[in-house]
Amino acid sequence: MLTVNHLSKSFGKVQAVKNVSFNVRKGSTFAFLGTNGSGKSTVIHMMIDLLKPDTGVISIRDNVLLGVVFQSHRLDEELSIETNLMIRAKLYGMSTTNAKKNIKQLLELTNLFSIRHRLYGNCSGGEKRKTDIIRALIHRPDMLILDEPTTGLDAESRKEVWTLLQRLQREQGLTIFLTTHYIEEAAHVDYVVMMHEGEIKVEGTPDELRNRYAKTTLILDVNNSEEVKQVLQDQVYEINENKVYINIESNKEAIPILRKVEKNIINFSIKEANLERVFLQITDQIKNEVI
């Protein structure tokens, strides 16, 4: 649906985006991750033609409609939810009949219909964000671009937003392009790109990245590390004072190890591989390269 080839952008002497390339498949969820200043928003602004790239090509399949949810709220605080949405629908060139129909469906889907006359400025953060998403969906886009859509929301509101997005993708085949600071939000997407200082550092499916950069670790608190060393002669492990760290492929692999050293265990825990650990691992590697 979307192809970006060798995209670069500078602001004066600062190169914000450096030779970035990626593809987004139809119907997928694509996560664009990175720290503040990594270039994520600059790429999005070029994708939606708010900025012109210095070099590179952005190709969007013919007749693809885009919807965009920006980091900050863009609706009128002094108007109601419904009025804000009607104005945006008119800007999309929609007829009054179609606009009312789509707005009603989306307000019901997001549980906002009962407060549709509330001033946007009087809404909670979660209500505002859901209204922002409706605004981007009124014209039934094929791809929804979300620039940190849940920043500043509490856990409950974030969950509501994601429930809505997953339902829309399931029912309408919506393609989602996401940037986020919440790494766990990218755990179940189809493809992940991680940026740092304007460059793509790693990319792949969440499972590929977890397998490549982070391992599930069994952590043992033991009362006699020397005895444990003897028992674990055939096991690859690290030991630090009375803590033993063993990388395992799955939680189930911990069972025979625990049985072997049961009498020496004071406590144990399992630290599972996840995208946050991948992100931290890659960030540490980058820092070490710089040093």
Side-chain angles (χ1 to χ4, degrees):
M1 179 168 284
L2 170 75
T3 299
V4 171
N5 282 319
H6 305 296
L7 202 65
S8 294
K9 180 68 179 178
S10 294
F11 299 96
K13 294 182 179 180
V14 177
Q15 192 171 7
V17 177
K18 308 171 187 176
N19 197 33
V20 165
S21 299
F22 57 82
N23 297 295
V24 180
R25 284 191 302 107
K26 184 180 185 301
S28 67
T29 301
F30 183 100
F32 210 42
L33 307 182
T35 55
N36 282 333
S38 61
K40 305 186 304 297
S41 294
T42 302
V43 170
I44 285 182
H45 287 164
M46 288 188 282
M47 285 168 52
I48 61 177
D49 215 22
L50 289 180
L51 285 174
K52 295 294 183 185
D54 297 335
T55 60
V57 177
I58 300 168
S59 302
I60 300 176
R61 203 178 66 186
D62 290 344
N63 302 318
V64 167
L65 291 177
L66 299 180
V68 184
V69 179
F70 296 97
Q71 288 183 30
S72 56
H73 302 301
R74 301 294 178 95
L75 298 178
D76 195 316
E77 300 271 323
E78 301 302 319
L79 298 178
S80 70
I81 290 174
E82 189 173 51
T83 301
N84 263 304
L85 294 174
M86 279 299 298
I87 290 172
R88 291 331 188 264
K90 289 296 183 180
L91 291 175
Y92 283 124
M94 297 175 65
S95 69
T96 300
T97 300
N98 282 340
K100 285 183 176 180
K101 177 184 175 183
N102 287 0
I103 290 169
K104 183 174 185 292
Q105 287 176 345
L106 289 165
L107 286 171
E108 289 175 342
L109 189 62
T110 54
N111 298 316
L112 295 181
F113 187 75
S114 63
I115 62 166
R116 63 191 182 279
H117 299 306
R118 181 179 296 174
L119 293 183
Y120 181 77
N122 292 338
C123 292
S124 68
E127 291 163 349
K128 283 185 175 181
R129 184 49 80 203
K130 286 193 283 186
T131 305
D132 296 339
I133 292 172
I134 292 174
R135 189 267 308 154
L137 291 170
I138 293 171
H139 61 308
R140 299 289 193 236
D142 304 291
M143 177 186 288
L144 183 63
I145 298 172
L146 301 159
D147 195 2
E148 299 181 16
T150 59
T151 296
L153 298 186
D154 58 49
E156 176 99 15
S157 297
R158 284 167 57 199
K159 183 179 178 181
E160 287 179 358
V161 166
W162 272 105
T163 298
L164 165 65
L165 293 173
Q166 288 163 354
R167 180 174 175 180
L168 289 169
Q169 187 167 51
R170 187 172 60 250
E171 295 178 356
Q172 300 178 17
L174 185 67
T175 303
I176 296 174
F177 184 100
L178 164 76
T179 78
T180 180
H181 280 310
Y182 299 109
I183 307 301
E184 70 273 16
E185 291 186 341
H188 304 293
V189 305
D190 298 295
Y191 202 77
V192 177
V193 163
M194 291 189 180
M195 288 189 67
H196 181 76
E197 293 185 351
E199 296 180 280
I200 292 177
K201 291 299 183 181
V202 296
E203 59 182 299
T205 67
D207 282 343
E208 287 171 348
L209 296 182
R210 279 191 290 264
N211 291 336
R212 198 183 313 162
Y213 293 99
K215 296 293 184 182
T216 296
T217 305
L218 172 63
I219 304 171
L220 306 177
D221 291 308
V222 298
N223 55 24
N224 190 322
S225 58
E226 292 303 318
E227 284 189 19
V228 170
K229 286 180 185 178
Q230 292 298 316
V231 176
L232 296 179
Q233 287 183 42
D234 299 327
Q235 196 80 43
V236 177
Y237 63 89
E238 290 182 18
I239 192 161
N240 183 5
E241 295 181 348
N242 287 323
K243 281 189 180 291
V244 181
Y245 302 86
I246 306 169
N247 287 338
I248 55 179
E249 293 298 324
S250 66
N251 291 356
K252 191 174 181 180
E253 285 188 16
I255 296 172
I257 298 171
L258 293 172
R259 285 175 177 159
K260 282 182 183 179
V261 295
E262 183 176 2
K263 69 175 185 176
N264 296 114
I265 294 175
I266 299 171
N267 200 359
F268 76 91
S269 60
I270 294 177
K271 191 173 184 179
E272 294 192 6
N274 55 42
L275 275 187
E276 185 171 3
R277 289 184 68 189
V278 171
F279 189 78
L280 293 173
Q281 175 80 12
I282 293 165
T283 302
D284 286 344
Q285 285 181 6
I286 292 167
K287 288 178 180 177
N288 290 332
E289 288 170 6
V290 172
I291 293 169

